Amino acid sequence: MSLTGPYDPDNIFAKILRGEIPAVPVWQDDHVLAFMDVFPQSEGHVLVISKTSRARTLLEVEPEVLARLTAAVHRTARAVDRALAPEGISIMQFNGEAGGQTVFHLHVHIVPRWADRPMKGHGHAPMAETATLKALADRIAAALEPD
Ligand code: AMP
């Protein structure tokens, strides 16, 4: 998958948005969804996506969508910090297959970091138990500040 090309309506995040496959949500509104990465690179790895845009990459996104997405990343990262007290947080976003992207619906990764827990490799982390992800999502959601 190159940097440019048509949006695939059957990509996995589009299916999550249509409720065709399950996900573990943290929070959502009419514009954005924050949900747990099922192959977390560290405990509390959250993804944030737009519900309205068909942008595959950052290069394609509409500025107003990017503004909402960025605000959602900020709100979610602050909740991750309050809930899990990491020592650092990596905010990551990949574009194009050569850039490390595997799902072609624009998304931002929020990965909590601890100095003594190495981050698992992107695309190489084991699948997490749903119950574990739900417990983390609940803790992060409980730490959200008012919108
Ligand atoms: P990227 O490689 O930047 O496109 O990131 C895609 C992310 O989606 C990876 O971190 C995957 O672990 C994650 N992922 C893939 N399938 C699912 C799924 N069904 N639910 C939640 N996260 C997923």
Side-chain angles (χ1 to χ4, degrees):
M1 288 279 212
S2 67
L3 268 178
T4 55
Y7 180 83
D8 174 9
D10 287 326
N11 76 73
I12 203 147
F13 294 169
K15 289 182 175 178
I16 286 173
L17 287 173
R18 291 196 298 267
E20 293 170 6
I21 62 168
V24 177
V26 177
W27 71 278
Q28 59 189 306
D29 61 18
D30 290 345
H31 304 280
V32 296
L33 168 66
F35 62 106
M36 303 306 295
D37 194 306
V38 78
F39 302 103
Q41 291 182 247
S42 79
E43 186 179 57
H45 182 167
V46 180
L47 300 170
V48 185
I49 63 176
S50 166
K51 287 179 158 184
T52 59
S53 177
R54 289 163 66 93
R56 297 159 75 249
T57 69
L58 186 77
L59 307 186
E60 296 175 350
V61 72
E62 306 85 343
E64 61 277 13
V65 173
L66 181 59
R68 288 188 188 278
L69 190 66
T70 304
V73 169
H74 178 255
R75 183 172 188 234
T76 308
R78 287 175 63 89
V80 166
D81 179 41
R82 287 154 59 99
L84 306 181
E87 294 165 353
I89 300 178
S90 296
I91 307 290
M92 304 187 298
Q93 194 279 314
F94 303 100
N95 299 283
E97 193 171 348
Q101 186 173 13
T102 58
V103 178
F104 283 76
H105 178 113
L106 172 64
H107 54 279
V108 178
H109 299 259
I110 300 170
V111 184
R113 305 289 301 271
W114 290 266
D116 61 351
R117 299 185 222 169
M119 183 174 74
K120 298 188 178 78
H122 183 65
H124 300 287
M127 185 181 271
E129 298 283 344
T130 302
T132 303
L133 295 180
K134 280 189 173 150
L136 284 162
D138 287 348
R139 286 170 64 192
I140 298 167
L144 284 166
E145 294 161 303
D147 202 5

